[in-house]
Amino acid sequence: TTTTTTTNTKEEEDLDDDDDDDDEDSFVETDHAAALSLEAISHLIDDADAAAVTLAARVFADTAPTTLPRTDLSFDDFADWYTDGGFQLASWFELLDLYKWAL
């Protein structure tokens, strides 16, 4: 039997070290991108929440028969609000009707 011994040259060892550095750099870049994505999602959630609160306040204000604070809204009141112009403010509500989706 014969035994083969392989020795790396200095250049080959440097290339191997560079590959390790590239892997580490890639991980750091991926980790940074993930953190930025999470931050963007967090801002998006905050914006969506603020928009929902603002829209709800608008619906209640537009449908309130008096200045008393309201804590409920009937479907009929909401339907009237939407039909009488609310569709212009919240046209995205149409996306909630999956039957209108062309699949």
Side-chain angles (χ1 to χ4, degrees), residues 8-103:
N8 291 338
T9 65
K10 175 71 174 146
E11 289 173 352
E12 291 171 330
E13 288 175 8
D14 287 345
L15 286 175
D16 285 344
D17 288 344
D18 287 346
D19 287 345
D20 291 342
D21 289 343
D22 289 344
D23 290 344
E24 186 176 319
D25 289 345
S26 178
F27 175 77
V28 169
E29 289 171 8
T30 302
D31 188 47
H32 182 69
L36 289 175
S37 295
L38 288 174
E39 184 178 343
I41 289 170
S42 176
H43 287 295
L44 181 62
I45 290 169
D46 291 344
D47 291 347
D49 185 57
V53 168
T54 300
L55 181 60
R58 175 72 183 266
V59 173
F60 277 97
D62 289 351
T63 60
T66 65
T67 56
L68 296 174
R70 293 180 66 179
T71 58
D72 64 344
L73 181 72
S74 73
F75 180 80
D76 289 336
D77 287 343
F78 177 77
D80 290 343
W81 172 83
Y82 189 77
T83 302
D84 292 340
F87 64 90
Q88 294 172 334
L89 185 64
S91 58
W92 57 268
F93 280 161
E94 295 297 323
L95 295 174
L96 300 175
D97 184 355
L98 297 182
Y99 292 107
K100 294 182 180 180
W101 289 32
L103 299 175

